[in-house]
Amino acid sequence: MTLTNRSGERVSRKHNTVIRFAMGAIVVVVVSLAGQVPAMAQTSDANSPPPSSSTQSQTSSPTAGMNEQTGNARVLKKRSFLFPDLAYNGKPLTSGEKFKLAIANSVSPATFLGAGFGAGIGQAADSPAGYGQGASAYGQRFGASMANRASTNLIGTYFLSSVMHDDPRYFVMGDGSLKESVKYALRRLVIVRKDDGGEAFNWPGVIAPLATVGLANTYMPDAQRTVGYTFERYGWSIAASAGVNLLKEYWPTITRKVLAPMGIGHDSDKP
């Protein structure tokens, strides 16, 4: 067996481990929440505080603060530059606003950094192997990653969220323990906030990545267009979404305690 074959087998085993972990996490979360989903929309109003003039004014303001509660989540006072989908007001988005959010997500710094990092990992692992090595290969991997993210945003953040009246933004829980934050981040993979404030199964979050990896088969190397590789990329996408959700949970804290004192970022807890 050649060194290349052994290296390929190690990479394949790592891929399979990640896929099994991602799928297992989703199954655990779905099973644990299966009995709660039908009741979520009914209980959301009962769990919400009675409306007041101050609450209404916060909801209508684009700079609504962290004190505004949206179920178990909160909104920021200022829009995040790195993650445009972090909610900074509680009012529902129109279809036009969801389209603008999809575009903003597709060209955000987080998207460029993620695509660059992913392309670097793929370059080091020579995956997909059909791209080869060198600057041109890195550019192809980077371009494919950016295209995947744009497709996911346009399909999930805009189209499916508009049709199903889902809110594609991420509402941070904030100030929870690590265990609670991880649980909440995983929960957001399968549960989405509705435009009316209720909750439902996150069909856009599940369908959009699958549609994206299917669409990617039109520009992936020929050897990567099999069913196995398609679902492998889907598993990686779900695993990456879980990690990004956890980062979003802590991003307001990181900005407030680390970046803002250094003069790098603006504290999203302040107007």
Side-chain angles (χ1 to χ4, degrees), residues 49-237:
S52 63
S53 58
S54 61
T55 301
Q56 292 174 355
S57 64
Q58 286 181 350
T59 303
S60 61
S61 171
T63 58
M66 288 288 287
N67 291 330
E68 182 185 350
Q69 298 292 323
T70 55
N72 293 326
R74 298 185 292 178
V75 297
L76 308 179
K77 288 182 178 179
K78 187 177 179 65
R79 182 176 181 177
S80 171
F81 175 71
L82 189 69
F83 296 110
D85 60 337
L86 287 177
Y88 63 95
N89 69 69
K91 65 179 182 180
L93 300 179
T94 65
S95 293
E97 289 172 330
K98 291 174 183 178
F99 177 75
K100 292 179 181 179
L101 179 59
I103 299 300
N105 282 342
S106 299
V107 297
S108 71
T111 296
F112 278 96
L113 290 173
F117 179 76
I121 295 297
Q123 188 89 344
D126 194 23
S127 176
Y131 286 140
Q133 292 292 310
S136 176
Y138 179 85
Q140 287 180 297
R141 291 184 172 95
F142 179 81
S145 183
M146 290 293 295
N148 288 346
R149 285 165 167 79
S151 297
T152 299
N153 280 308
L154 289 173
I155 296 172
T157 302
Y158 167 56
F159 178 71
L160 291 177
S161 292
S162 296
V163 171
M164 305 184 73
H165 304 289
D166 291 336
D167 193 327
R169 296 172 294 179
Y170 189 92
F171 290 81
V172 299
M173 179 181 68
D175 300 330
S177 66
L178 177 59
K179 180 179 179 180
E180 291 171 338
S181 296
V182 171
K183 181 179 179 180
Y184 181 81
L186 290 175
R187 184 177 186 270
R188 301 318 297 181
L189 291 176
V190 292
I191 298 298
V192 67
R193 175 181 165 89
K194 301 290 290 183
D195 286 340
D196 62 6
E199 291 185 317
F201 186 79
N202 187 13
W203 288 111
V206 173
I207 295 176
L210 184 59
T212 294
V213 297
L215 181 63
N217 283 333
T218 61
Y219 52 80
M220 293 293 289
D222 291 340
Q224 308 293 318
R225 298 181 183 182
T226 65
V227 174
Y229 275 113
T230 298
F231 279 95
E232 178 180 305
R233 296 196 302 272
Y234 179 63
W236 275 107
S237 178

